[in-house]
Amino acid sequence: PGGSSRAQRDFVEAPPPVVFRRPGATEALPKETEHSHPAAAAAAATEATNMAQVTCDNWDGAAAVPPKDGQYMNVESPVTGEVIGRVAISSADDVAEAVARASAALGAWRGMTTKARAACMFRLHHLINEHKEELARLITLENGKNHTEALGDIAKGNETVEWACSLPQVSQGKVCTVSRGVHCMDTRKPLGIVAHIVPFNFPAMVPLWTLPIALAAGNCVRPFIPNTQESSSSQAPDSWQPRSKL
């Protein structure tokens, strides 16, 4: 369609949307009744059952870090109503430790050129595209979106990663001659450690609105997830980690 972006056209290659029914419901979720895909729904339900033992700790310092007080919340799938895992409940001490790790990493990351940081965003963009089906399945299981909408969520987020790759060009400073013998110079410097609080309704797109730009600009970013409907989809799958370099 004329209004669709290149990224959306590249991503939306999914089978017909899946119709999911909440436990005890007599009618399917709206807007998808004409495009039922029972096989995909059954596969999603099976995957939800297989994910029952997943534990999402805090991803901090390139490692999974359990909460200091050992408290977790259950994660329930809207697809099946079953508990598919649990997510760490972080205390003030956990946050302080995360900020301390970010402080330790800030000097080296900020010291890289914008071009070098943008190269990491290129790799991230490639990994998201490569693993879009895996991410979409996680979004469906945790958030309840159908497969096509989950892919669109990922596609829109990855557009911002793509834009962050242009920061070496768009974030350059400038020098202006404002009067005889008077020059003004502006430069862009990282703020330091920044946090973003992520809502549940677009678990891929909204984190990616801020995270790649803040990282490419030289900041260290701490995402905080105040809900249980995107705990897994907001973390890179284990298979990414050796290649993501973040």
Side-chain angles (χ1 to χ4, degrees):
S4 63
S5 69
R6 175 171 58 82
Q8 287 174 306
R9 293 197 300 272
D10 290 344
F11 270 73
V12 181
E13 303 165 350
V18 179
V19 173
F20 295 122
R21 298 179 187 273
R22 293 191 176 92
T26 57
E27 296 183 357
L29 297 179
K31 300 182 181 179
E32 302 297 337
T33 54
E34 297 180 2
H35 303 286
S36 172
H37 201 292
T46 300
E47 187 165 357
T49 301
N50 293 337
M51 288 183 63
Q53 301 303 316
V54 169
T55 296
C56 290
D57 289 313
N58 295 316
W59 188 255
D60 192 9
V65 180
K68 287 184 174 298
D69 58 10
Q71 293 191 36
Y72 290 86
M73 277 180 113
N74 286 339
V75 179
E76 296 182 1
S77 172
V79 178
T80 64
E82 297 178 0
V83 174
I84 59 173
R86 57 181 193 154
V87 62
I89 299 177
S90 299
S91 65
D93 289 339
D94 292 308
V95 174
E97 189 172 282
V99 171
R101 284 198 179 96
S103 298
L106 178 63
W109 181 249
R110 181 171 53 189
M112 295 170 63
T113 63
T114 307
K115 183 178 179 181
R117 294 192 296 264
C120 295
M121 297 302 105
F122 273 110
R123 289 198 292 273
L124 178 61
H125 184 274
H126 169 75
L127 286 167
I128 291 172
N129 194 33
E130 182 181 358
H131 292 271
K132 62 188 179 185
E133 292 291 338
E134 183 178 358
L135 288 169
R137 286 194 297 272
L138 288 172
I139 290 172
T140 295
L141 287 171
E142 293 187 332
N143 190 272
K145 293 179 185 285
N146 64 59
H147 189 74
T148 300
E149 187 175 357
L151 285 172
D153 187 337
I154 297 163
K156 293 301 293 183
N158 215 19
E159 286 180 0
T160 308
V161 182
E162 184 176 344
W163 189 87
C165 296
S166 70
L167 277 180
Q169 288 73 45
V170 302
S171 67
Q172 296 176 0
K174 58 185 178 181
V175 177
C176 301
T177 301
V178 296
S179 186
R180 183 178 300 170
V182 179
H183 304 277
C184 289
M185 179 176 69
D186 73 57
T187 60
R188 297 177 184 270
K189 296 181 179 180
L191 292 174
I193 302 166
V194 297
H196 61 175
I197 299 174
V198 182
F200 78 95
N201 54 333
F202 289 94
M205 180 178 72
V206 176
L208 291 174
W209 273 351
T210 55
L211 188 146
I213 298 171
L215 284 173
N219 302 287
C220 284
V221 183
R222 306 306 315 177
F224 294 98
I225 316 296
N227 61 79
T228 62
Q229 287 186 285
E230 55 174 297
S231 52
S232 292
S233 52
S234 296
Q235 295 189 19
D238 292 342
S239 58
W240 299 26
Q241 300 304 338
R243 292 185 290 155
S244 66
K245 308 298 183 185
L246 290 177

